[in-house]
Amino acid sequence: EVQVVESGGGLVQPGGSLRLSCAASGFSFSTCWMTWVRQAPGKGLEWVGNINQDGSDTNYVDSVKGRFIISRDNGKNSVFLQMNSLTAEDTAVYYCVRDFRYFDCWGQGTLVTVSS
Amino acid sequence: DIVMTQTPLSLSVTPGQPASISCKSSQSLLERDGKTYLYWYLQKPGQPPHLLIYEVSNRFSGVPDRFSGSGSGTDFTLKISRVEAEDVGVYYCKQSTQHPKTFGQGTKLEIK
């Protein structure tokens, strides 16, 4: 079964950092782009960024550039989202997604709450 | 950035009746390879989104044929020929022609 499972969410203070992980299984992970999408409470979907197959290329939405870093470990079939300098506006459910330009496999998401 | 604008933002439909959602992009989504990278997703309550339509008009695996997509350039439409109760949720269009990838605001479908 093709699946991705996110972990690492939680409560963090403004200005703090958090690292999300996404474990993939059931497909050839090293051949796929991977994406992070977030959804603030009661709001729509926002693409956060993506990473290519070998980790040499990443792209980010402007609102997270310089604060968030996406990386991957193909040996562990995992992708990561390092989030720094967090603000209340980063509060959201973060989804890990397999990216073929279309997003065909989504995790259940992990909730990140930025609050003092 | 390409802005995706959906209309309406909500609609209430009687089961068995059709429904239509419009999505307009601020720039053409036609890429030099000849493909148009416009997608439709449905997020049912309490669930992550799932893919309905890829590249404007192609139904993803397992998607019922009552769902159809059409359009070109900057104007796109998702149609449901006969709405069923299980179709409730929020529909999003999304472009993958250019980074950053962007979603529409979402259209909430309710059943009358």
Side-chain angles (χ1 to χ4, degrees), chain A residues 39 47 50 99 101-103, chain B residues 31 41 43 94 96 101:
Chain A
Q39 186 170 35
W47 179 85
N50 64 4
D99 183 351
R101 294 243 201 180
Y102 57 81
F103 299 164
Chain B
E31 202 171 295
Y41 298 84
Q43 186 174 29
K94 185 209 76 184
S96 288
K101 303 185 183 188

Side-chain angles (χ1 to χ4, degrees), chain B residues 18-32:
Chain B
S20 180
I21 301 170
S22 171
C23 175
K24 296 183 186 296
S25 58
S26 60
Q27 303 174 35
S28 174
L29 301 185
L30 176 63
E31 202 171 295
R32 278 177 284 188

Side-chain angles (χ1 to χ4, degrees), chain A residues 3-6 94-98 105-109, chain B residues 47-49:
Chain A
Q3 69 173 355
V4 294
V5 178
E6 306 91 341
Y94 285 74
Y95 294 103
C96 173
V97 187
R98 185 170 70 170
C105 178
W106 297 66
Q108 289 299 310
Chain B
Q47 298 182 18

Side-chain angles (χ1 to χ4, degrees), chain A residues 27-86:
Chain A
F27 63 96
S28 182
F29 178 76
S30 63
T31 66
C32 298
W33 282 75
M34 297 297 294
T35 275
W36 288 94
V37 173
R38 68 183 178 183
Q39 186 170 35
K43 303 297 184 181
L45 302 170
E46 180 182 37
W47 179 85
V48 173
N50 64 4
I51 187 167
N52 71 342
Q53 292 89 339
D54 66 3
S56 62
D57 186 17
T58 54
N59 300 278
Y60 302 94
V61 68
D62 280 352
S63 59
V64 309
K65 279 182 184 175
R67 300 189 301 123
F68 288 13
I69 299 171
I70 299 174
S71 61
R72 65 191 296 160
D73 183 339
N74 286 342
K76 295 182 178 179
N77 286 356
S78 295
V79 62
F80 308 99
L81 179 63
Q82 176 67 44
M83 303 185 294
N84 302 318
S85 303
L86 286 161

Side-chain angles (χ1 to χ4, degrees), chain B residues 92-107:
Chain B
Y92 295 92
C93 61
K94 185 209 76 184
Q95 66 81 20
S96 288
T97 294
Q98 180 183 113
H99 283 115
K101 303 185 183 188
T102 46
F103 291 90
Q105 318 97 300
T107 296

Side-chain angles (χ1 to χ4, degrees), chain B residues 1-20:
Chain B
D1 298 0
I2 297 177
V3 177
M4 307 296 287
T5 303
Q6 290 181 230
T7 55
L9 297 184
S10 67
L11 70 166
S12 183
V13 183
T14 301
Q17 293 301 303
S20 180

